[in-house]
Amino acid sequence: MTKRIVAFRRLKPHHLEQLRNHFHVDYFDTLEGPDDPAFREALRNAHGLLGASLPITPELLDDAPHLEAISSISVGVDNYPVEELTRRNILLCHTPDVLTETTADTGFLLIMASARRAVELANMVKQGQWTSGIGESHFGTDVHGKTLGMVGFGRIGQAIARRGALGFGMSVLYTHASPKPALEAELGATHCEFETLLEQADFVCVNVPLTAETTGLMDAAVFKRMKSSAILINIARGKVVDEEALIEALSSGEIHAAGLDVFAQEPLPGDSPLTRMDNVVTLPHIGSATHETREAMAQRAIDNVIAALEGRRPPSPYNDVTPRG
């Protein structure tokens, strides 16, 4: 019997061909949401799901009685009910590693752009407002030699810290992670309490996954503990930050600036105060958005689902479920 998968993310022709060499594929390249009748009908016979950015609920799983594996084209798994999938013996796979360096590049881009006011000043030039020499009112702040505080110290956090420590001579503090002696030796990093990091870091870079415990982690109390000169960087998930509290902290001068690639609501509404603040750099969730990395992510997801549905251990499983084959 040829197994069936439902793919709900736009894929390149060679990726679709690869999948069709192994499975019957129901392909939804412009899926608007989970209630699409054709999508729900396809789920009823699906052994595998492949895609991203679609919340998978227990109700959806009820419509997929034959489902064996989900392969997400992402490293984050906040769109998936992991415990429920494990209870139902459904293997969840993701795409770590292949996007680490590219996402770290984005994180450090936000550090540089927010510190040196790059977007604000570039817009000044484009709008014809550069009419005299640059004075103190346009100065930014140094990055080299400053203290980089990492809230979360997984693969991406470590890659950002390497850029800071080895490339810019930054001191690195980290929290919300177990102690990592080898990295401490390599980077001169220091494991510390969250409150200590907030009080000492010049850049507070958020890298934790979105969970019940981290939702709203960066709130008004956190911003009060940060330096008034500090800059917040968020490349994790938007809901880790209390956006209303962040807007207030930025407006009042409680913290200096922010660089954000993720938001509580995406796309970010055009009427959000964040879009009008000169001390905020906003990017449209581009962490892994390069041709090379998105190609690698799609390929890893395809390798995952093929292995899982053939009964082999996939390259990047997330939960502890044995492939059924």
Side-chain angles (χ1 to χ4, degrees), residues 36-149:
D36 180 290
F39 174 71
R40 297 299 282 257
E41 182 61 31
L43 279 181
R44 297 186 186 281
N45 298 304
H47 300 92
L49 281 178
L50 182 144
S53 304
L54 179 71
I56 302 298
T57 64
E59 290 74 25
L60 272 179
L61 296 176
D62 288 341
D63 278 352
H66 305 292
L67 193 62
E68 299 177 19
I70 298 176
S71 186
S72 184
I73 311 175
S74 68
V75 64
V77 295
D78 45 287
N79 277 322
Y80 305 94
V82 179
E83 291 184 4
E84 180 67 15
L85 290 172
T86 303
R87 187 184 71 78
R88 296 185 187 221
N89 199 33
I90 297 171
L91 177 63
L92 176 63
C93 306
H94 64 153
T95 61
D97 304 320
V98 295
L99 53 70
T100 296
E101 297 301 330
T102 296
T103 307
D105 285 348
T106 303
F108 217 85
L109 165 68
L110 284 169
I111 290 171
M112 293 294 295
S114 54
R116 297 303 303 270
R117 301 169 60 180
V119 175
E120 175 193 357
L121 298 180
N123 285 337
M124 183 184 77
V125 176
K126 287 186 175 183
Q127 293 163 9
Q129 297 172 359
W130 183 27
T131 58
S132 61
I134 291 299
E136 193 167 334
S137 64
H138 297 112
F139 288 177
T141 185
D142 281 338
V143 174
H144 65 272
K146 294 295 181 68
T147 298
L148 177 59

Side-chain angles (χ1 to χ4, degrees), residues 21-277:
N21 286 337
H22 290 81
F23 312 113
H24 175 93
V25 180
D26 291 302
Y27 181 41
F28 297 86
D29 62 335
T30 58
L31 184 67
E32 295 294 330
D35 295 325
D36 180 290
F39 174 71
R40 297 299 282 257
E41 182 61 31
L43 279 181
R44 297 186 186 281
N45 298 304
H47 300 92
L49 281 178
L50 182 144
S53 304
L54 179 71
I56 302 298
T57 64
E59 290 74 25
L60 272 179
L61 296 176
D62 288 341
D63 278 352
H66 305 292
L67 193 62
E68 299 177 19
I70 298 176
S71 186
S72 184
I73 311 175
S74 68
V75 64
V77 295
D78 45 287
N79 277 322
Y80 305 94
V82 179
E83 291 184 4
E84 180 67 15
L85 290 172
T86 303
R87 187 184 71 78
R88 296 185 187 221
N89 199 33
I90 297 171
L91 177 63
L92 176 63
C93 306
H94 64 153
T95 61
D97 304 320
V98 295
L99 53 70
T100 296
E101 297 301 330
T102 296
T103 307
D105 285 348
T106 303
F108 217 85
L109 165 68
L110 284 169
I111 290 171
M112 293 294 295
S114 54
R116 297 303 303 270
R117 301 169 60 180
V119 175
E120 175 193 357
L121 298 180
N123 285 337
M124 183 184 77
V125 176
K126 287 186 175 183
Q127 293 163 9
Q129 297 172 359
W130 183 27
T131 58
S132 61
I134 291 299
E136 193 167 334
S137 64
H138 297 112
F139 288 177
T141 185
D142 281 338
V143 174
H144 65 272
K146 294 295 181 68
T147 298
L148 177 59
M150 308 303 298
V151 183
F153 209 44
R155 296 178 182 89
I156 295 169
Q158 292 168 25
I160 293 172
R162 283 194 178 91
R163 286 157 173 73
L166 304 180
F168 287 78
M170 301 178 83
S171 300
V172 176
L173 304 175
Y174 71 98
T175 186
H176 285 70
S178 58
K180 303 184 185 302
L183 279 168
E184 291 177 12
E186 177 190 357
L187 305 178
T190 300
H191 185 262
C192 65
E193 296 297 323
F194 188 36
E195 292 75 14
T196 301
L197 182 148
L198 296 174
E199 292 166 358
Q200 296 184 10
D202 298 300
F203 298 87
V204 176
C205 189
V206 182
N207 309 278
V208 291
L210 180 64
T211 65
E213 292 72 28
T214 63
T215 299
L217 172 68
M218 307 301 289
D219 60 12
V222 163
F223 300 133
K224 289 185 190 309
R225 295 198 76 135
M226 288 169 60
K227 295 179 178 181
S228 61
S229 59
I231 295 175
L232 176 75
I233 305 295
N234 187 13
I235 58 166
R237 287 291 186 266
K239 291 182 180 179
V240 174
V241 174
D242 180 336
E243 278 186 9
E244 289 187 9
L246 174 60
I247 290 166
E248 175 59 31
L250 290 163
S251 300
S252 67
E254 199 161 59
I255 66 173
H256 180 62
L260 310 171
D261 188 41
V262 290
F263 305 90
Q265 180 181 341
E266 295 183 2
L268 180 67
D271 61 356
S272 168
L274 293 170
T275 66
R276 301 187 297 275
M277 303 176 82

